[in-house]
Amino acid sequence: MSNYNLETKLWSVADELRGNMDANEYKNYILGFIFYRYLSEKQEKTINKALEDDNLTFKDVQKDTVIYEVVQKDSLSKLGYFITPELLFSTIIEKTDEEEFILDDLQKAFNQITNSSQGTESQDDFSNLFEDVELNSSKLGKTPDEQNDKISKVIRKLNEIDFKLDEDESDILGDAYEYLIGQFASSAGKKAGEFYTPQEVSTILARIVTLNKDRLKSVYDPTCGSGSLLLRVSKETKVADFYGQELNQTTYNLARMNMILHGVRYNQFDIKQGDSLENPQHLNQKFEAVVANPPFSAKWSSSKKFMDDERFGAYGKLAPKSKADYAFVQHMIYQLDENGTLAVVLPHGVLFRGAAEEKIRRYLIEEKNYLDAVIGLPKNIFYGTSIPTCILVFKKCREHDDNIIFIDASEHYEKAKNQNKLRPEDIDKIVTTYAERNEEDKYSHVAPLEEVIENDYNLNIPRYVDTFEEEEPIDLDELVDELEQIEKEIQEVDDKIIEYCKELGIRPPVIRRD
Amino acid sequence: MDKSTQRSDNTVKDHKQDLIIPKLRNNLFKDNWSTKKLGDISKIIMGQSPSSSNYSDDTDDTILIQGNQDLNNGLVVPRIYTSEITKISKPGDIILTVRAPVGDIAINEYDCCIGRGVCSITPHENKLFIYYYLQYLNNKKIWNKYSQGSTFESVNSKDIKNLKIKIPSINEQNYISEFLSSIDKKIEFMEKKYNCLLQLKNNIITNLFCNEDMYQPLLKFNDEKWEYITLNEIGTTYSGLSGKSKDDFGVGTSLFVPYKAIFDSEIIDINLLENIKINDSEKQNLVKMYDILFTSSSETPEEVAMTSIFLNNYDNCYLNSFSFGYRVTAKFINPIFLNYYLRSPMLRKKFYKIAQGSTRYNISKKEIMKLSIKYPSSETQEKIISFILNMNNNISNLRREIELNKEFKRSLLSKMFC
């Protein structure tokens, strides 16, 4: 309901910083502060609720060492962190009323959140979470006082917004947070091949990997970004555990905040930082659902050592240096459980490019028979790139293992301002067509494996889904009738023209052929 | 600015001894023509643009005419709509564009709103006469004098109202406009005929060739069976220029076939060849007579692998780098026949299927060479070629006839008015 309101209000906090720096930088402040306030209020609420029967609040019990210690322990085990009363968001807001200097306290609060989890189970989830929120950046102001002034304004503005944490089951704040991440992504411009996955595309992936499952043991995303794809899967079905890896430190921080903000408990997610091709962190695990939107045609080392790597060795060739697309696919397949489903967004080139990629493609189909579906998406649906993309779906145990379904959804979208957008009905159509393996003229085709072999394992969609618009044939007789009619009318006009020309004494431009 | 606009009186004085008559005239008419101002013999409404936020695609709204992009061949073509109505033009009014470019005209058939790029004229005299008179003025480029020295060509309401029109009796007005409109009608009919012939040709060509799963084509000259063969088996390919730098193009004594020449027509027009510098030491492939040239990349999959045949004998002509050549080696295949075959809808569909790419579409030589065709005896190939050539000649003759009629009308416009 007021979802939209919360989103716009949160986005408007960014106005305070917009003049000082670009989106990529101020997002760290906004998202960091929102997260800090969330943790702070969540803790206060949790503790206050526990103390309700005693008619006490968290701030009342700070002098009582015994109760205080119990409360602290409780918070650590329930939430995974603990903030002392003088460093709560509400306390710091009070200080800004008096225009006090708060930057030191804020820094202390951040350190406390990360340090309180040291040596506990939640350590990995909170370490270095706030490192991107640089409180003494010169971009905030020249002097510490100016910096303090700016930050105070931002957090006071943030304080005016109601986070609606009382609405327990709802995900309002989490979704608004997600919306902000998306907004920042679209206004920050692109970085080499990294694009924020639009929600519509995440939804398709999520719905495909959760088809016919009322719960998932695990979901894994090797290039998880801010974690939105993982969370999207949990909107479709109950997910026990979330696993992810993200190369970019800042985005990795966001992913962990995003998880916590969506109410995923610290012991339910395991997100690691690092390059999942060079330095995979979950190699000894298999997952029931694997999803990803890896950077499009990223560079990777393609180093010979990978020929000895279990993930890549059997294929005979490594993905080329300049295009890691298939390396990610191979990595994901390695992590996929026997009963699981893998859905990945890739650029169109993976369908038809030759050389090593052709070899890998062929191996996946001929030797493994893992490929279950090829779905062509409309062009220009990603922020910052117009490149046409596709979704590949892989399964280790395929129900329909003698065919592959091809879906050409490239013409099914709505034109928005700068972007093409998939409508809910477009998403439904893709998922239903895939689930039911429907064949529809100019949209989908269930291709027997022989057909794919005939095409030399080239998966380019037009070879399978015929979308060629043939010209409507017009009846020859009809055309000749029309021609005769025109000829007659020309003759009549000619008669008139000849008449006029005679009167004017000039030669008529009419040659009678009869 | 025209001096007459500074005068305050409405009538323009002519010297008595000046005879105002056109060069070409029916002897029945003897009267002198008189000079009037457009503003005195018609009602003129200058356009005013609605706010752009009120523009729409909704055909229930009012048609908006903004400029010459909304006019075509003397008619209004609805393009955008508006929910706010500022100034109105009625069916039968003449629309005249008043800014960049000035002078385009059309007869309006709708109730529509006019933006500030146009004005609407409702003549009190014969409407068509005024319409043709404005065409005559535009051909004479009289609007140029209003736009001299200004960066954005436009005329104002005063310029238009003071425009001098020389006008005969109403009977002569009727006579002239009837004659000119019969010529317009003829041109319109011929354009229709032209389109009809094009469709006819496409229709025939589609059925003149044989599909893979057919024994013979639908339209056949005789009862023979068409044979199956792949392009690989009947010819060889070669690639376009390689290793050339920007500086080599446009200079030198050698020629090359640019991409567009292949794309545009089924036979290479040698007027489109361009110069290139080729050194003696370079190894580049020459284009020879009867070579079929393929474009190998394009913006859309529909346009990939267009073919065109080279029908000239040159010893210094090469091929652009984004295309490749195909030389028929089999004696039993007529290259001209093959070229028509490759442009037929049947083959276009096959090319579309094997085109691939994301931002540009490419097609590989190897894949094309795998394609199969069906062919008849050499005699039948000759017949098919000759049939298509005749259809083409017929069509291009008509195009020339249309152009001649347009010329004829221009010359009448220049002689029948003054």
Side-chain angles (χ1 to χ4, degrees):
Chain A
M1 16 140 243
S2 52
N3 213 349
Y4 169 78
N5 240 328
L6 184 58
E7 285 169 2
T8 40
K9 275 185 193 159
L10 285 175
W11 181 237
S12 78
V13 178
D15 289 339
E16 203 58 60
L17 288 168
R18 224 179 290 273
N20 295 50
M21 50 192 95
D22 64 43
N24 216 14
E25 289 172 289
Y26 65 70
K27 78 157 191 243
N28 294 332
Y29 292 93
I30 307 295
L31 296 174
F33 289 139
I34 292 175
F35 184 62
Y36 163 54
R37 183 180 155 199
Y38 168 82
L39 292 183
S40 179
E41 285 184 5
K42 180 98 184 161
Q43 177 190 314
E44 261 192 287
K45 255 183 52 110
T46 313
I47 294 173
N48 288 346
K49 204 166 177 196
L51 296 172
E52 214 169 34
D53 293 340
D54 308 309
N55 242 336
L56 290 169
T57 69
F58 180 40
K59 283 182 180 164
D60 299 333
V61 301
Q62 44 186 314
K63 296 275 155 55
D64 187 328
T65 353
V66 182
I67 303 185
Y68 186 78
E69 264 175 30
V70 174
V71 156
Q72 179 175 12
K73 233 177 155 180
D74 196 41
S75 173
L76 268 175
S77 79
K78 267 193 196 143
L79 303 170
Y81 60 89
F82 181 73
I83 308 168
T84 52
E86 79 279 8
L87 295 179
L88 285 171
F89 185 82
S90 54
T91 318
I92 290 182
I93 285 293
E94 280 164 23
K95 288 192 176 172
T96 64
D97 290 343
E98 312 298 322
E99 291 179 28
E100 284 181 47
F101 193 80
I102 56 158
L103 293 189
D104 292 341
D105 283 346
L106 269 177
Q107 192 58 57
K108 267 191 219 156
F110 293 168
N111 293 343
Q112 199 175 53
I113 291 167
T114 23
N115 293 338
S116 65
S117 65
Q118 288 294 315
T120 70
E121 223 188 312
S122 56
Q123 179 178 335
D124 279 355
D125 296 335
F126 288 96
S127 65
N128 298 321
L129 253 188
F130 292 98
E131 67 182 358
D132 298 311
V133 189
E134 241 188 281
L135 293 173
N136 43 19
S137 162
S138 59
K139 287 189 178 158
L140 293 167
K142 284 191 209 87
T143 64
D145 279 337
E146 276 177 40
Q147 293 158 9
N148 186 62
D149 203 41
K150 197 87 203 165
I151 293 291
S152 300
K153 271 191 194 145
V154 172
I155 65 168
R156 285 183 69 83
K157 239 185 154 172
L158 197 61
N159 189 48
E160 290 164 18
I161 302 168
D162 178 8
F163 277 7
K164 305 200 191 310
L165 290 186
D166 296 322
E167 294 167 34
D168 266 350
E169 287 300 308
S170 83
D171 217 355
I172 296 177
L173 181 60
D175 289 346
Y177 199 70
E178 187 105 316
Y179 162 84
L180 283 190
I181 295 175
Q183 284 299 104
F184 284 124
S186 60
S187 60
K190 55 180 175 179
K191 263 203 243 157
E194 287 173 35
F195 301 103
Y196 181 77
T197 318
Q199 276 202 12
E200 295 79 14
V201 176
S202 300
T203 304
I204 298 173
L205 296 181
R207 285 177 62 182
I208 286 175
V209 297
T210 55
L211 264 178
N212 305 322
K213 307 224 175 188
D214 44 16
R215 66 180 299 276
L216 279 176
K217 270 203 317 268
S218 56
V219 55
Y220 170 65
D221 181 347
T223 56
C224 70
S226 51
S228 61
L229 193 45
L230 290 171
L231 288 163
R232 179 60 51 181
V233 174
S234 71
K235 297 230 155 154
E236 299 300 329
T237 196
K238 249 187 144 56
V239 176
D241 291 310
F242 298 84
Y243 297 87
Q245 186 161 343
E246 169 57 35
L247 178 60
N248 182 302
Q249 180 75 37
T250 307
T251 320
Y252 159 70
N253 293 341
L254 278 185
R256 290 179 296 162
M257 296 189 204
N258 204 5
M259 288 285 149
I260 295 167
L261 272 167
H262 278 88
V264 180
R265 279 174 59 106
Y266 65 89
N267 52 7
Q268 279 185 298
F269 71 90
D270 174 17
I271 292 178
K272 294 281 203 297
Q273 191 264 326
D275 182 331
S276 45
L277 297 178
E278 298 283 343
N279 192 12
Q281 311 265 325
H282 301 93
L283 219 41
N284 52 356
Q285 279 163 288
K286 302 281 179 194
F287 305 103
E288 197 175 353
V290 180
V291 287
N293 175 14
F296 296 145
S297 300
K299 289 193 170 55
W300 77 307
S301 73
S302 192
S303 141
K304 274 211 181 83
K305 72 173 185 211
F306 284 118
M307 285 309 288
D308 301 324
D309 189 314
E310 276 188 279
R311 295 174 293 166
F312 309 107
Y315 295 77
K317 281 270 169 144
L318 290 171
K321 239 183 174 144
S322 57
K323 295 176 188 81
D325 301 317
Y326 270 107
F328 283 110
V329 171
Q330 290 167 315
H331 169 79
M332 290 169 77
I333 282 184
Y334 182 81
Q335 308 259 215
L336 180 66
D337 213 344
E338 290 301 314
N339 69 343
T341 307
L342 182 171
V344 55
V345 189
L346 295 162
H348 255 198
V350 300
L351 301 176
F352 51 76
R353 286 195 296 246
E357 294 182 279
E358 186 178 335
K359 244 188 146 167
I360 297 170
R361 196 164 57 227
R362 183 172 177 151
Y363 185 88
L364 282 168
I365 301 165
E366 191 179 31
E367 298 290 324
K368 293 293 182 191
N369 195 11
Y370 286 165
L371 182 62
D372 199 41
V374 174
I375 301 166
L377 298 174
K379 60 179 181 195
N380 203 18
I381 50 172
F382 281 78
Y383 301 114
T385 176
S386 62
I387 183 173
T389 52
C390 60
I391 295 173
L392 298 188
V393 183
F394 295 93
K395 280 182 171 182
K396 289 191 172 164
C397 302
R398 299 207 296 133
E399 205 181 319
H400 309 275
D401 60 1
D402 56 348
N403 64 52
I404 296 170
I405 184 168
F406 288 81
I407 299 174
D408 184 351
S410 60
E411 297 301 325
H412 296 251
Y413 60 83
E414 175 182 45
K415 258 192 142 40
K417 224 175 194 171
N418 301 316
Q419 222 91 40
N420 293 331
K421 218 172 144 61
L422 290 159
R423 296 159 294 191
E425 63 262 37
D426 300 325
I427 298 173
D428 288 344
K429 193 174 162 81
I430 291 172
V431 178
T432 316
T433 305
Y434 167 71
E436 294 171 5
R437 281 189 126 66
N438 292 334
E439 288 212 310
E440 189 186 319
D441 194 30
K442 294 191 191 303
Y443 186 72
S444 61
H445 171 55
V446 176
L449 286 180
E450 297 83 62
E451 195 179 336
V452 179
I453 296 165
E454 243 169 65
N455 277 294
D456 290 331
Y457 300 92
N458 184 315
L459 302 175
N460 203 28
I461 298 169
R463 289 175 184 237
Y464 304 91
V465 185
D466 188 353
T467 52
F468 189 79
E469 291 291 342
E470 267 176 274
E471 274 179 54
E472 202 55 43
I474 303 160
D475 189 55
L476 261 181
D477 280 345
E478 263 174 53
L479 278 171
V480 177
D481 284 348
E482 196 184 332
L483 209 54
E484 272 179 2
Q485 183 59 33
I486 295 171
E487 206 57 55
K488 230 168 82 191
E489 283 174 293
I490 290 183
Q491 288 221 358
E492 280 171 27
V493 181
D494 274 349
D495 289 344
K496 257 196 216 165
I497 294 174
I498 291 171
E499 192 62 37
Y500 278 111
C501 289
K502 230 183 244 165
E503 288 169 15
L504 292 167
I506 54 175
R507 287 175 66 198
V510 176
I511 292 104
R512 279 280 149 89
R513 293 187 186 87
D514 44 28
Chain B
M1 188 177 279
D2 194 334
K3 267 186 190 152
S4 65
T5 58
Q6 287 156 6
R7 288 196 209 148
S8 53
D9 56 333
N10 273 337
T11 50
V12 183
K13 299 244 165 37
D14 288 302
H15 295 292
K16 283 262 164 52
Q17 64 268 38
D18 280 355
L19 257 182
I20 318 174
I21 51 165
K23 283 196 211 103
L24 183 63
R25 192 179 196 193
N26 189 328
N27 290 332
L28 281 175
F29 302 110
K30 308 281 186 208
D31 295 347
N32 210 15
W33 290 29
S34 51
T35 304
K36 302 259 175 68
K37 286 183 184 174
L38 185 59
D40 295 336
I41 55 168
S42 57
K43 193 175 94 188
I44 295 165
I45 298 170
M46 300 303 288
Q48 183 191 338
S49 297
S51 155
S52 61
S53 58
N54 292 325
Y55 295 178
S56 78
D57 298 327
D58 187 350
T59 49
D60 286 342
D61 282 341
T62 306
I63 296 164
L64 172 63
I65 310 175
Q66 290 181 304
N68 84 325
Q69 67 268 38
D70 300 298
L71 312 181
N72 187 26
N73 266 332
L75 290 174
V76 167
V77 186
R79 183 179 58 100
I80 54 169
Y81 300 82
T82 172
S83 56
E84 176 194 350
I85 297 165
T86 46
K87 292 292 166 68
I88 292 173
S89 174
K90 288 276 177 201
D93 288 350
I94 298 168
I95 301 286
L96 169 73
T97 63
V98 299
R99 54 165 57 200
V102 179
D104 281 2
I105 48 169
I107 303 267
N108 175 25
E109 293 176 313
Y110 306 93
D111 277 299
C112 51
C113 175
I114 48 174
R116 62 176 181 161
V118 299
C119 71
S120 176
I121 302 166
T122 319
H124 308 316
E125 308 276 336
N126 180 312
K127 183 174 46 191
L128 272 179
F129 179 84
I130 303 294
Y131 172 73
Y132 285 118
Y133 197 90
L134 290 169
Q135 256 183 30
Y136 155 74
L137 291 181
N138 199 25
N139 285 351
K140 267 179 55 178
K141 307 217 178 313
I142 62 119
W143 298 109
N144 282 359
K145 69 177 172 192
Y146 293 99
S147 54
Q148 266 169 15
S150 81
T151 49
F152 190 65
E153 189 193 341
S154 73
V155 289
N156 58 33
S157 119
K158 217 171 176 185
D159 295 334
I160 293 167
K161 282 184 179 146
N162 287 328
L163 194 68
K164 279 191 271 180
I165 307 279
K166 300 203 175 79
I167 196 164
S169 69
I170 189 75
N171 281 343
E172 194 171 358
Q173 287 178 37
N174 294 344
Y175 181 83
I176 292 170
S177 48
E178 272 165 34
F179 181 32
L180 289 172
S181 63
S182 60
I183 297 196
D184 271 350
K185 216 171 260 162
K186 178 169 182 184
I187 293 170
E188 193 190 319
F189 283 134
M190 285 195 294
E191 292 282 7
K192 264 195 200 153
K193 181 177 172 184
Y194 182 81
N195 285 329
C196 198
L197 286 178
L198 275 186
Q199 278 183 355
L200 206 64
K201 176 190 151 188
N202 283 339
N203 192 306
I204 289 173
I205 285 186
T206 311
N207 297 316
L208 217 43
F209 296 100
C210 189
N211 215 338
E212 247 173 275
D213 48 11
M214 294 182 339
Y215 176 80
Q216 46 189 209
L218 286 175
L219 297 177
K220 55 193 185 213
F221 286 102
N222 50 41
D223 208 30
E224 69 185 284
K225 176 178 179 265
W226 288 42
E227 302 293 331
Y228 174 97
I229 202 150
T230 64
L231 291 181
N232 245 334
E233 295 170 273
I234 51 171
T236 55
T237 61
Y238 60 88
S239 45
L241 290 163
S242 67
K244 302 308 290 179
S245 81
K246 212 172 59 199
D247 305 334
D248 297 326
F249 290 91
V251 293
T253 51
S254 295
L255 297 167
F256 79 99
V257 183
Y259 184 91
K260 204 172 148 17
I262 300 171
F263 194 85
D264 281 356
S265 76
E266 48 202 23
I267 295 169
I268 297 289
D269 175 359
I270 51 164
N271 294 317
L272 296 177
L273 299 185
E274 291 173 26
N275 283 87
I276 182 139
K277 200 169 101 194
I278 305 281
N279 297 324
D280 291 343
S281 58
E282 272 183 76
K283 270 215 168 301
Q284 302 281 8
N285 299 308
L286 280 167
V287 177
K288 296 202 175 144
M289 186 142 164
Y290 296 125
D291 282 356
I292 295 172
L293 311 178
F294 283 80
T295 61
S296 49
S297 75
S298 69
E299 300 280 336
T300 67
E302 287 84 0
E303 291 176 350
V304 86
M306 290 302 277
T307 61
S308 184
I309 191 162
F310 195 69
L311 292 181
N312 298 83
N313 212 343
Y314 283 50
D315 59 1
N316 64 341
C317 186
Y318 302 86
L319 180 60
N320 75 80
S321 318
F322 304 102
S323 304
F324 68 88
Y326 179 75
R327 190 164 298 153
V328 175
T329 51
K331 289 273 179 292
F332 51 87
I333 298 288
N334 187 320
I336 306 178
F337 163 82
L338 181 60
N339 185 52
Y340 284 131
Y341 193 116
L342 293 171
R343 277 217 168 212
S344 71
M346 209 180 305
L347 262 279
R348 296 302 313 150
K349 186 174 170 174
K350 290 191 184 175
F351 291 140
Y352 175 82
K353 272 196 162 185
I354 56 174
Q356 56 197 22
S358 359
T359 47
R360 279 192 75 78
Y361 291 84
N362 295 299
I363 198 157
S364 82
K365 251 195 288 197
K366 216 175 86 193
E367 292 267 6
I368 290 185
M369 289 305 111
K370 280 197 240 164
L371 291 180
S372 57
I373 60 153
K374 283 205 156 186
Y375 69 97
S377 67
S378 299
E379 295 79 54
T380 309
Q381 290 179 38
E382 293 280 354
K383 270 192 186 154
I384 289 173
I385 294 171
S386 147
F387 186 29
I388 295 176
L389 279 177
N390 279 318
M391 284 194 292
N392 282 347
N393 279 340
N394 194 14
I395 291 170
S396 55
N397 283 340
L398 179 58
R399 178 46 48 201
R400 215 171 307 142
E401 205 182 329
I402 294 171
E403 295 313 317
L404 284 174
N405 272 282
K406 285 183 177 167
E407 267 311 303
F408 180 62
K409 186 187 152 192
R410 278 178 81 90
S411 109
L412 287 179
L413 280 173
S414 72
K415 289 184 185 133
M416 296 187 77
F417 296 98
C418 49

